[in-house]
Amino acid sequence: MIDQSTSNKARLLISCSDQPGIVASISEYLFNHGANIIQSDQYSTDPEGGMFFMRIEFALPEFEERFHSVREDFSAIAERFHIDWRLESERRTKKMAIFVSKEDHCLLELLWRWRSGELQVDIPLVISNHPDLREIVESYHIPFYHIPVTKETKAEAEAQAEKLIKEHKADFIVLARYMQILSSDFVDTFEHRIINIHHSFLPAFIGANPYKKAFDRGVKLIGATAHYVTDDLDEGPIIEQEVLRVNHRYSTEELRVAGRNVEKIALARAVNWHVNDEVLVHKNKTIVFN
Amino acid sequence: MIDQSTSNKARLLISCSDQPGIVASISEYLFNHGANIIQSDQYSTDPEGGMFFMRIEFALPEFEERFHSVREDFSAIAERFHIDWRLESERRTKKMAIFVSKEDHCLLELLWRWRSGELQVDIPLVISNHPDLREIVESYHIPFYHIPVTKETKAEAEAQAEKLIKEHKADFIVLARYMQILSSDFVDTFEHRIINIHHSFLPAFIGANPYKKAFDRGVKLIGATAHYVTDDLDEGPIIEQEVLRVNHRYSTEELRVAGRNVEKIALARAVNWHVNDEVLVHKNKTIVFN
Amino acid sequence: MIDQSTSNKARLLISCSDQPGIVASISEYLFNHGANIIQSDQYSTDPEGGMFFMRIEFALPEFEERFHSVREDFSAIAERFHIDWRLESERRTKKMAIFVSKEDHCLLELLWRWRSGELQVDIPLVISNHPDLREIVESYHIPFYHIPVTKETKAEAEAQAEKLIKEHKADFIVLARYMQILSSDFVDTFEHRIINIHHSFLPAFIGANPYKKAFDRGVKLIGATAHYVTDDLDEGPIIEQEVLRVNHRYSTEELRVAGRNVEKIALARAVNWHVNDEVLVHKNKTIVFN
Amino acid sequence: MIDQSTSNKARLLISCSDQPGIVASISEYLFNHGANIIQSDQYSTDPEGGMFFMRIEFALPEFEERFHSVREDFSAIAERFHIDWRLESERRTKKMAIFVSKEDHCLLELLWRWRSGELQVDIPLVISNHPDLREIVESYHIPFYHIPVTKETKAEAEAQAEKLIKEHKADFIVLARYMQILSSDFVDTFEHRIINIHHSFLPAFIGANPYKKAFDRGVKLIGATAHYVTDDLDEGPIIEQEVLRVNHRYSTEELRVAGRNVEKIALARAVNWHVNDEVLVHKNKTIVFN
């Protein structure tokens, strides 16, 4: 795995109205700052007047000295083209908070990928509405906070979670089979920074008990969907989906057991793309550059 | 491919309440009639008092002489166990009517598999509410009937179709992207004998324009679903589903084009299983023995 | 998950020359002993004189009293049809030894499936030629034995491993990315009871460094193969294979990282099928009844 | 589908040593010529001194007047960076020759995709070493040439084929299950312009009878590989691969029948990418930009 702390790579992400000269201006700009473009992806919703999205990964020799000037000087271009942008240094490792309930498969997949270096994040904390997974989490030397949630204490519990997230400076939140619906306020605070795994192939089987519904409907494939959380339950921008073949012999319980393996894979992929700044959100859809 | 006309194979399909001794009685029965079991599949919804389903494929030496006595004598066992059953000889090739509109990909896939011997059916007729595909169908020496359908003529058109299907002795109907909704009466006449291909991964995107809906939702996989037609639109028992990975670059039209390749494959598989008597229907689900 | 200790289920596995009356005799036999067949699968290599394979899962009321007489009385049928057979009670949980080296992904997948109840085995011991994974294994309260292997000590190391396996009464061995080639003697001792995961889609890329070879060849899919170990390296009967789409952007190292996710899934499925007595071996191929 | 004859789109493909400033220079160049970049993909084998590959799709207003000057003026940049390049106008439809033998599934898939507008090529001729598929081909109003090949007449047959291809100005050749090995001379004449479909998941089962070999080895997935043809049989750069799950019940013949459906899909995808200039070849590997 890469030693991120000495990486000289950065990523520029851009959204704006499509207009002539954007690519030329940006690539000239980067060249003038001594950046060497490693990878570049772009997408236009409509080449004749739609939205334009771009992700450029570049290497920057003498990173320390130059990175800040690259960032500061970019505002002139951004203004000219009315660009919505962000610049991310690979040296700054993102901090990921994980929310769990009782099921451990998604949590363990993330922890394993993190420890193996496949998922390059810091995990400053895990929050759960149940105490069950404390031992596992702490065995990885990660702080575990048990915040029970009832109808009455929900607002307070969310306030407590938000406080912890801010104290630990987490950049984004992964709901790794967290079985509580978050309030609009909480969701808005972390817009496009909460990733959920829904245990169905959305938009099929929205809501509770998707495996029961899949069993009742007699589907021949089950799925899982990783998406950003919005106010509309299970309606947020989809990042990744995966499916698995099943048949009439699967009981609801067996669908649930088999489904765990697609849930954890779809979630892990989505988290990885988010961490690598490969996902842009536009309205209710994602552009995934990978 | 097998020469079906001299095949000595038959298939026995069974549904009943689960009860001790069924398998023993049936296998003893077949053994006493000189049948050699080639393949046998069974499924119980609940071993302690649910439904029991079985498909037995067997070879019968001296087929001509014995087949009818196998059929006739079976009624004693069937009565004893209250079995719902059918016995199919591989010698009798099923007759398949195809309904189409303007799109040809599902039709052509079926015709190709039929001509190559992969799909062992007779195709006595193709019915369409549009004249467009006449030339293709007739190039295969298959009668093509153009029956236009309007709101006013629908009942009459269905009556005409039903008459043709009966004249041609078709056993079942495949809706190969037929863009008309059939009436309850018509559907009831051919219960579990009409196979439709829906251009989405049901139950996602029920109804019209599924690719437009898939585009709007930003899904990362598109699908197709082959199912038996019932009174409830897109709610019939699912036989087969298939999916295909897509991404943000696909327009609605490109989803539609890509989707044709999963539609034709899912439909062709489902038709093949139906033809080989591998599908049993129980309530709103299928048991597929393959 | 099922409480296996009070399960009243058993599985009968059968291999013999195909001959009339086998199915009838066995199902009558089971019926006479009061067994209720839950699932039955069979396969003939050639209905006219090939090999016949069968797996029957049945429930047995009054299990304690009857199971031994079912087993003992079966020998008469077995002799009559020259059947190679085994009868497995679900009450007896199989014991699985795991061999690892330094990579932990396959080990952790097995441990996770085991702890979640998805994989119903006991794990009496883990053996490794490296000390690295001791802590993980012992955190699951499973004995870990470090047996270093060098060219000189190989025979001795294998003898030590064999002794431990027998002391712990392990029924079968899983090589969860164990990077040592076992001797013919060792392999013969545990015939069809050692499952290996090879990190390629066999027979492509036999031998060492398959990801390097896959990179050099420029394949568009990578794979993994779970198989029983035989004397011929990477040539044993294949139980399961899985693949993953890749592209030109993957370095050898990235193929290796991505490949871990197919390795662990293919291995876990194969182990599960072995544990559930769903795999029969015939010559160099497997019959998998599932 | 697009009306290509009035399209104002073009594609620039580039291979060279990686060096700073390439992207900036090319995007500035295109901007100065009034081109609007629609999509851009790039890949470096090694950002610090490897090979650099790029595909840029752009729209050019006033196409007629400008396209030639875009092409001519590019040579200055190409010289400066030692770029190996080609510029393709979407207005010029590529001409595809198809070689077949007796099996029709790949041929029909290509013809269907061509007629439906999914595959935007002209098909000036089909060449076959057997007369069997003449009627089908001619029903599409495509000239069919029967050129029998024996060991003795091979050189002569290839000369005749080459003459026809040149007369019909075909740009590239698709071997749609053409069961003859082409000579080195013929292959060299059409370097990276002959696409073959091999009926296995290469490099597994190189050479003849891959389905027989797959049956004997007992694989659980079968595959197909579309690749550019080189002197080394089945060793050319892989463009696309696809697989299909099978099991012990498949005979060699059934593997062959099932395999046709992956062959035709893998081939059709590869041909489509080639036609859209999405494939670059470097040594024995492809870079597929899609």
Side-chain angles (χ1 to χ4, degrees), chain A residues 12 14 26 29 33 67-87:
Chain A
L12 180 62
I14 278 169
I26 294 173
Y29 170 83
H33 279 74
F67 183 69
H68 285 288
S69 70
V70 166
R71 186 194 296 276
E72 277 160 35
D73 299 357
F74 193 73
S75 47
I77 289 187
E79 256 175 58
R80 182 171 145 211
F81 290 105
H82 301 282
I83 292 173
D84 188 12
W85 64 287
R86 59 196 172 94
L87 179 65

Side-chain angles (χ1 to χ4, degrees), chain A residues 126-173:
Chain A
V126 172
I127 290 174
S128 181
N129 58 331
H130 292 284
D132 308 50
L133 302 177
R134 175 182 297 277
E135 197 186 349
I136 290 173
V137 170
E138 292 183 346
S139 78
Y140 285 84
H141 310 294
I142 297 172
F144 177 92
Y145 297 95
H146 175 210
I147 307 181
V149 181
T150 65
K151 218 176 163 182
E152 290 70 33
T153 65
K154 183 161 184 161
E156 193 189 332
E158 286 192 352
Q160 196 182 341
E162 190 179 328
K163 189 159 166 285
L164 282 168
I165 288 163
K166 288 184 175 167
E167 278 172 18
H168 285 281
K169 298 194 169 68
D171 295 290
F172 71 105
I173 299 165

Side-chain angles (χ1 to χ4, degrees), chain B residues 8 21 38 54 84 87 93 127 130 134 136 140 169 182 184 219 249 252 262 267 274 278 286:
Chain B
N8 66 355
I38 295 167
M54 193 173 198
D84 188 12
L87 179 64
T93 303
I127 289 174
H130 293 284
R134 176 182 296 278
I136 290 172
Y140 285 82
K169 299 193 168 68
L182 298 167
S184 291
V219 292
R249 295 193 191 279
T252 299
V262 268
L267 179 61
H274 179 90
E278 294 175 2
T286 62

Side-chain angles (χ1 to χ4, degrees), chain A residues 20-21 24 27 31 36-37 40 42 47, chain D residues 20-21 24 27 31 36-37 40 42 47:
Chain A
S27 44
F31 177 62
N36 191 20
I37 296 175
S40 168
Q42 59 179 81
Chain D
S27 44
F31 177 62
N36 192 20
I37 295 175
S40 169
Q42 59 180 80

Side-chain angles (χ1 to χ4, degrees), chain A:
Chain A
M1 298 295 132
I2 315 151
D3 178 0
Q4 294 191 293
S5 63
T6 59
S7 163
N8 65 355
K9 289 184 192 167
R11 301 149 190 157
L12 180 62
L13 289 110
I14 278 169
S15 308
C16 61
S17 296
D18 207 353
Q19 48 203 302
I22 300 175
V23 180
S25 299
I26 294 173
S27 44
E28 191 193 358
Y29 170 83
L30 290 173
F31 177 62
N32 289 339
H33 279 74
N36 191 20
I37 296 175
I38 295 166
Q39 189 169 338
S40 168
D41 291 283
Q42 59 179 81
Y43 168 64
S44 305
T45 56
D46 178 356
E48 305 184 9
M51 285 295 291
F52 174 83
F53 304 94
M54 194 171 197
R55 178 188 186 275
I56 299 182
E57 193 175 328
F58 58 89
L60 199 61
E62 298 161 48
F63 192 87
E64 297 269 340
E65 299 94 274
R66 291 187 188 176
F67 183 69
H68 285 288
S69 70
V70 166
R71 186 194 296 276
E72 277 160 35
D73 299 357
F74 193 73
S75 47
I77 289 187
E79 256 175 58
R80 182 171 145 211
F81 290 105
H82 301 282
I83 292 173
D84 188 12
W85 64 287
R86 59 196 172 94
L87 179 65
E88 305 273 353
S89 158
E90 206 176 81
R91 290 197 186 180
R92 203 186 82 75
T93 303
K94 286 192 184 58
K95 292 181 194 302
M96 170 172 83
I98 304 178
F99 281 36
V100 291
S101 290
K102 290 181 169 181
E103 293 218 62
D104 66 359
H105 55 290
C106 287
L107 171 70
L108 288 174
E109 184 74 18
L110 293 173
L111 292 176
W112 172 70
R113 293 199 187 210
W114 163 68
R115 198 174 53 187
S116 74
E118 188 174 336
L119 182 59
Q120 305 210 332
V121 290
D122 290 337
I123 307 179
L125 78 164
V126 172
I127 290 174
S128 181
N129 58 331
H130 292 284
D132 308 50
L133 302 177
R134 175 182 297 277
E135 197 186 349
I136 290 173
V137 170
E138 292 183 346
S139 78
Y140 285 84
H141 310 294
I142 297 172
F144 177 92
Y145 297 95
H146 175 210
I147 307 181
V149 181
T150 65
K151 218 176 163 182
E152 290 70 33
T153 65
K154 183 161 184 161
E156 193 189 332
E158 286 192 352
Q160 196 182 341
E162 190 179 328
K163 189 159 166 285
L164 282 168
I165 288 163
K166 288 184 175 167
E167 278 172 18
H168 285 281
K169 298 194 169 68
D171 295 290
F172 71 105
I173 299 165
V174 175
L175 309 183
R177 302 291 274 118
Y178 181 67
M179 305 308 278
Q180 289 287 328
I181 295 170
L182 298 168
S183 72
S184 292
D185 280 353
F186 191 91
V187 168
D188 290 346
T189 305
F190 299 96
E191 197 194 9
H192 300 162
R193 292 190 290 146
I194 309 176
I195 298 174
N196 183 45
I197 181 71
H198 185 75
H199 41 319
S200 87
F201 183 81
L202 289 176
F205 312 129
I206 284 176
N209 293 323
Y211 290 122
K212 176 67 169 59
K213 291 172 186 162
F215 175 80
D216 290 342
R217 184 63 189 91
V219 291
K220 300 302 183 186
L221 295 167
I222 55 168
T225 304
H227 63 96
Y228 287 114
V229 176
T230 58
D231 279 6
D232 293 319
L233 187 64
D234 302 338
E235 296 284 1
I238 294 170
I239 307 169
E240 173 61 336
Q241 302 189 287
E242 191 51 91
V243 292
L244 183 74
R245 193 159 284 279
V246 296
N247 61 45
H248 60 271
R249 294 194 192 278
Y250 284 71
S251 65
T252 298
E253 173 61 15
E254 287 165 334
L255 292 178
R256 205 180 64 76
V257 169
R260 293 194 298 221
N261 294 306
V262 269
E263 291 166 24
K264 71 186 190 188
I265 283 170
L267 179 61
R269 277 193 211 135
V271 169
N272 213 41
W273 299 341
H274 179 89
V275 167
N276 294 335
D277 303 305
E278 294 176 1
V279 189
L280 281 165
V281 180
H282 177 56
K283 293 182 180 169
N284 206 43
K285 296 163 80 169
T286 61
I287 293 105
V288 181
F289 285 129
N290 63 0

Side-chain angles (χ1 to χ4, degrees), chain C residues 274-288:
Chain C
H274 178 90
V275 167
N276 294 336
D277 302 306
E278 295 175 1
V279 189
L280 281 164
V281 179
H282 177 56
K283 292 183 180 167
N284 206 44
K285 296 163 80 167
T286 62
I287 293 104
V288 181

